[in-house]
Amino acid sequence: MPPSSLRVVYAFAREMHPKTTDVFIQYGTAGFRTKANLLEHVVYRMGLLAVIRSRVKNGRTIGMMITASHNLEPDNGVKLIDPDGEMLEQSWEEIATRMANVSDNDLESITGQIIKEVNADMSLKASVYIGMDTRYTSPRLAAAAANGVIALKGTPKEFGIVTTPILHFCVKCRNDNTYGAPSEEGYYEKIVGSFKRIRQKLSVSGAYNTTLYVDGANGVGGKKLNIIKKTLDGELDLMLFNLGGNGGKLNLNCGADYVKVSQRVPVGVEHVPYQRVASLDGDGDRIVYYYVDNDEKMHLLDGDRIATLLASYITELLGTCGADQLKLGLVQTAYANGASTKYITEELKIPVSCVKTGVKNLHHEALKYDIGIYFEANGHGTVVYSREAKNTLKKIDEDGDAEQRKSAQILLDFIDMTNETVGDAISDLFLVETVLCARGLDITGWENTYRDLPSRQLKVTVQDRNAIQTTDAERRCISPEGLQERIDEIVSEVNSGRAFVRPSGTEDIVRVYAEGDTQESADKLAEDVAQVVRELAGGVN
């Protein structure tokens, strides 16, 4: 592409999507995320970058998702999706940050530099899929994304309002037609179709009942479940709440993140004692379960619980179908409850890896296993299966005895029900419901597999999040000097105490996590650690 043809890049920026702020913005673990009114120029430029990325990948389709996930409605964001449906390659995060922050006058030249730097063949066709969540600012930002794609002669395809995982799925399918059809309908056909097939093989028994309440966080996930609900043929009776009407605000006092962090029930949901409730986040990539008891106390079953439930069932199926040779592992972060890690290693005898926070870190570690299960405690996770694992199970389905074949068929349906590209609240909901049905469990039976240690999460606003540097999968702090020593002193005084701090990937805040033998001790430990962070790491207010 000759330099003169990059003039349109500058013209679009100047006339339609000018940079009107000097606020520096960084591509973090979930892409760019900030107040929506600061993002239009950023999203336009990511449209340019998506085209360059597509051409570097020989014209394969790249995805752009306009969302701020579990954040409140005034925020928005954008993240790029690589051809296999995975997060953007980490080495490109710096390129994205550079491109987002240059002046309009320098945009043309920096675009040319990046094209040379990554050796993009600009004569190739380029394809970009664009999706958005339900925020009122999303359509304007999606239009900016499309203009960025058009400015570099790429082809945008807009999917409108979809969950983040549906867009990941469609990108993967577009580049690998063996995975499914690249459309919302193709997603339903594969994920929901597999659920219905598997449920026809399982009888409803024991304490399990088919009624499930769902908190849709007033976001897109609940809307899509409302479509799916009509097709379930009675296999699952969904009672949907927080679908965005009646003045409900996106993620406000509801949704997976609110339930997990505040440890309170969401507003807008009808509660019946011991009725299980699944709570999604705003863009449908996280899920946690909970119930309230007769004393109106909430019991949370988070991502750790989902991971252990799925791991135990997959291990059981591997045993009965004679595929024990496949290497299964579970990936967690420092946020995983200590009781879950102990249960996985000592009771389930499954190897556990701990990695830095950020789903891309868990995903890459999970790929090292034949069957890799990864979940953050916040409910973001999935299962990934190697080609060898799938081929092994298909061979057993063809050549095994009757019992082996039945287990292999269930596991093959289980694989098809899984969105392997990214954590997916809808897919994970169906996986959980399948295991509970197969085991005849109600939510208390699931909860009683082990006892969580009480925990607390807090946020501390700081002048500069980069003042905090960590190591050992974010479990230890190496700067500022003296902070880790102070944390160790405070933790040593608490029974079953554990605490760590880590900087946010997107905002100038430090996240504090603490565990203790009682809720009171966990709460106090978190407050004491937060105070030390304020003192030593430039706390604000």
Side-chain angles (χ1 to χ4, degrees), residues 13 52 69 91 144 194 298 396 480 483 521 531:
I52 297 169
S69 188
S91 64
S194 305
M298 188 188 85
I396 293 168
L483 178 56
S521 67
Q531 185 55 38

Side-chain angles (χ1 to χ4, degrees), residues 130-424:
I130 301 168
M132 62 181 177
D133 68 14
T134 56
R135 291 163 209 270
Y136 65 90
T137 55
S138 291
R140 179 170 54 82
L141 295 179
N147 283 339
V149 175
I150 292 164
L152 278 184
K153 295 184 168 56
T155 304
K157 179 173 180 180
E158 298 190 62
F159 282 72
I161 294 173
V162 288
T163 67
T164 294
I166 287 177
L167 192 70
H168 280 259
F169 174 91
C170 290
V171 170
K172 166 79 170 172
C173 293
R174 178 67 178 81
N175 295 306
D176 174 7
N177 60 16
T178 66
Y179 194 69
S183 65
E184 191 173 324
E185 294 71 25
Y187 171 89
Y188 298 145
E189 189 178 319
K190 184 175 184 186
I191 304 287
V192 184
S194 305
F195 171 73
K196 287 159 72 174
R197 277 199 310 278
I198 213 169
R199 282 298 273 261
Q200 284 157 13
K201 297 184 179 91
L202 302 171
S203 57
V204 176
S205 62
Y208 180 77
N209 75 77
T210 58
T211 301
L212 174 67
Y213 286 22
V214 179
D215 161 27
N218 296 310
V220 61
K223 291 182 185 300
K224 299 308 180 188
L225 279 175
N226 207 19
I227 295 169
I228 291 168
K229 176 181 177 178
K230 302 174 179 69
T231 69
L232 291 176
D233 304 332
E235 299 292 353
L236 189 62
D237 183 19
L238 297 176
M239 301 284 286
L240 304 176
F241 301 90
N242 291 334
L243 298 184
N246 302 319
K249 296 275 190 173
L250 181 69
N251 295 320
L252 182 62
N253 298 327
C254 62
D257 191 63
Y258 174 81
V259 172
K260 169 65 179 169
V261 175
S262 73
Q263 298 186 25
R264 296 178 190 159
V265 298
V267 301
V269 177
E270 178 187 318
H271 289 106
V272 176
Y274 300 100
Q275 169 61 53
R276 69 187 184 282
V277 186
S279 186
L280 282 53
D281 73 335
D283 70 330
D285 65 2
R286 294 183 182 188
I287 183 171
V288 297
Y289 275 70
Y290 72 90
Y291 72 93
V292 294
D293 61 23
N294 284 326
D295 298 320
E296 297 187 0
K297 180 187 174 189
M298 188 188 85
H299 298 246
L300 176 68
L301 293 91
D302 62 9
D304 299 334
R305 292 278 182 182
I306 294 171
T308 55
L309 182 75
L310 302 186
S312 64
Y313 185 59
I314 292 168
T315 301
E316 177 189 313
L317 289 175
L318 289 173
T320 53
C321 75
D324 310 70
Q325 76 275 20
L326 293 173
K327 189 181 174 191
L328 182 143
L330 207 145
V331 187
Q332 296 183 318
T333 70
Y335 285 108
N337 194 279
S340 75
T341 310
K342 186 176 180 182
Y343 171 73
I344 296 158
T345 53
E346 295 181 9
E347 297 292 324
L348 299 180
K349 310 286 191 205
I350 292 172
V352 175
S353 304
C354 185
V355 298
K356 285 175 65 175
T357 304
V359 73
K360 63 188 175 191
N361 300 316
L362 289 100
H363 189 92
H364 291 149
E365 184 69 21
L367 291 172
K368 295 177 182 177
Y369 297 99
D370 289 318
I371 300 174
I373 302 161
Y374 71 84
F375 270 85
E376 294 184 292
N378 62 28
H380 196 173
T382 190
V383 188
V384 290
Y385 300 84
S386 69
R387 181 168 280 122
E388 183 187 345
K390 292 173 184 175
N391 289 340
T392 299
L393 293 169
K394 285 173 185 170
K395 191 160 179 17
I396 293 168
D397 184 29
E398 291 167 4
D399 303 335
D401 62 34
E403 187 183 5
Q404 288 177 327
R405 288 176 62 200
K406 183 182 177 186
S407 293
Q409 286 167 7
I410 289 174
L411 201 36
L412 286 166
D413 282 333
F414 207 75
I415 292 170
D416 277 345
M417 206 194 315
T418 307
N419 187 345
E420 294 182 69
T421 64
V422 73
D424 181 342

Side-chain angles (χ1 to χ4, degrees), residues 88-99:
L88 178 67
E89 183 184 307
Q90 194 160 355
S91 64
W92 279 62
E93 292 179 10
E94 180 276 327
I95 297 172
T97 300
R98 202 187 335 155
M99 195 171 217

